[in-house]
């Protein structure tokens, strides 16, 4: 009898309606997109094209930019500094977050410096980027890395700081006494939800910083947006904003899939 009840509970808890829920959310999302496009179309009828072009005009520009290859050249240039900036900033942020949250000595020593540097926006460091790296992909990657660093640092710091002392006591009772072993086998795995959340947030921030990182002349999507805005080519501006959004969406969806696999134990 107990087996039957258990099987009934399993059947009740089994997510048989996942497809239906996804379909419902998809319909709502499509309805939202259609509603937004209709509002955009209506608003564009009351404004000149250089103020607010219609969705159809933007679609034509998007196709023209893609067909000419200019879009892919700009995207390729942005990726050349987005990837190293995101990877380097994320790695340093995670490493620093783990080290400072685990070591009270390091935390006390670096706390004044962290508090001074944290409020400085990456955009304010353009002068340093030019002086240290030049007007190239390395300089743009530096700007992106700064933005990624702080997001991942605080996410990791909070995750490590929140690891239960009971969990550490259990590990020590099982013979894990060295700090490096505790961090590797207990602290980092326990902090993984916060760390992966920081990585995901940082990925989005890095795409936002692409525009800022190209303010001083580095080729890419951001530079194309700035050039088009100076010429009042609003349809081109919106086109490349959409490219940024689509790239973020692709990367975010891929990372969420990896995140679910990494956190399958939750």
């Amino acid at each position: 009898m107990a087996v039957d009840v258990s099987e009934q509970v399993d059947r009740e808890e089994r997510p048989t309606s996942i497809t239906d829920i996804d379909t419902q959310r998809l319909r709502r999302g499509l309805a939202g997109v259609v509603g937004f496009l209709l509002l955009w179309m209506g608003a564009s009828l009351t404004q000149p094209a250089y103020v607010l072009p219609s969705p159809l005009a933007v679609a034509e520009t998007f196709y023209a930019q893609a067909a000419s290859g200019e879009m892919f050249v700009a995207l390729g240039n942005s990726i050349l500094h987005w990837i190293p900036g995101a990877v380097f900033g994320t790695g340093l942020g995670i490493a620093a977050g783990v080290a400072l949250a685990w070591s009270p000595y390091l935390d006390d020593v670096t706390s004044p410096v962290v508090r001074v540097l944290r409020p400085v926006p990456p955009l304010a460091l353009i002068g340093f980027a030019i002086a240290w790296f030049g007007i190239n992909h390395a300089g743009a990657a530096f700007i992106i890395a700064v933005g990624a660093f702080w997001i991942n640092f605080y996410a990791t710091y909070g995750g490590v700081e929140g690891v239960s002392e009971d969990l550490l006591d259990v590990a020590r009772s099982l013979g894990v006494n060295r700090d490096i072993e505790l961090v590797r086998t207990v602290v980092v795995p326990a902090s993984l939800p916060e760390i992966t959340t920081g990585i995901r947030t940082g990925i989005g921030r890095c795409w936002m910083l692409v525009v800022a990182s190209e303010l001083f002349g580095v080729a890419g999507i951001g530079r194309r947006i700035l050039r088009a805005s100076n010429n009042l080519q609003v349809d081109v501006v919106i086109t490349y904003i959409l490219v940024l959004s689509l790239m973020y969406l692709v990367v975010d969806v891929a990372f969420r899939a990896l995140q679910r696999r990494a956190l399958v134990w939750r």
Side-chain angles (χ1 to χ4, degrees):
M1 185 66 179
V3 174
D4 295 337
V5 172
S6 176
E7 291 178 352
Q8 182 178 0
V9 171
D10 288 342
R11 286 194 298 269
E12 291 175 353
E13 294 181 349
R14 191 173 297 140
T16 56
S17 61
I18 288 180
T19 303
D20 295 337
I21 295 174
D22 288 345
T23 302
Q24 187 178 29
R25 293 186 64 184
L26 179 61
R27 289 173 179 170
R28 290 174 179 173
L30 289 175
V33 171
V34 171
F36 174 77
L37 290 175
L38 290 175
L39 288 174
W40 179 4
M41 178 66 76
S44 68
L45 296 176
T46 65
Q47 301 293 332
Y50 65 86
V51 174
L52 183 64
S54 69
L56 293 178
V58 172
E60 291 176 359
T61 302
F62 192 101
Y63 175 78
Q65 291 289 317
S68 67
E70 187 172 355
M71 178 186 296
F72 301 106
V73 172
L75 179 59
N77 283 322
S78 291
I79 289 175
L80 286 177
H81 46 260
W82 177 82
I83 290 179
V87 171
F88 192 70
T90 298
L92 276 182
I94 293 174
V98 171
L100 270 62
W102 179 253
S103 171
Y105 175 78
L106 284 177
D107 194 21
D108 291 342
V109 169
T110 59
S111 179
V113 178
V114 168
R115 291 179 179 179
V116 169
L117 294 180
R118 177 62 187 97
V120 178
L123 193 60
L125 302 176
I126 286 180
F128 291 98
I130 296 174
W132 294 346
F133 303 100
I135 303 176
N136 51 36
H137 292 298
F142 169 75
I143 300 296
I144 294 172
V146 171
F149 173 85
W150 290 114
I151 291 175
N152 285 279
F153 170 77
Y154 278 107
T156 303
Y157 187 98
V160 172
E161 198 175 36
V163 173
S164 171
E165 285 293 334
D166 293 337
L167 187 61
L168 296 174
D169 290 339
V170 170
R172 292 187 180 101
S173 68
L174 294 174
V176 184
N177 293 313
R178 296 177 57 191
D179 281 0
I180 188 67
E181 290 297 323
L182 279 172
V183 169
R184 183 178 65 84
T185 61
V186 179
V187 174
V188 171
S191 308
L192 205 56
E194 289 80 9
I195 292 174
T196 55
T197 299
I199 295 173
R200 184 183 174 193
T201 305
I203 287 173
R205 179 69 182 278
C206 288
W207 276 116
M208 293 169 62
L209 285 171
V210 163
V211 177
S213 70
E214 295 169 4
L215 279 176
F216 55 93
V218 180
I221 293 176
R223 188 62 183 170
R224 188 70 184 90
I225 290 174
L226 293 171
R227 192 173 66 193
S229 63
N230 290 335
N231 295 324
L232 294 179
Q233 296 174 309
V234 182
D235 54 336
V236 178
V237 172
I238 296 175
T239 291
Y240 281 94
I241 289 175
L242 290 175
V243 172
L244 282 175
S245 300
L246 290 173
M247 287 305 301
Y248 167 70
L249 180 62
V250 169
V251 175
D252 186 62
V253 169
F255 183 79
R256 287 183 65 184
L258 293 175
Q259 187 180 32
R260 284 194 294 269
R261 287 181 175 273
L263 302 179
V264 68
W265 49 270
R266 291 186 69 188

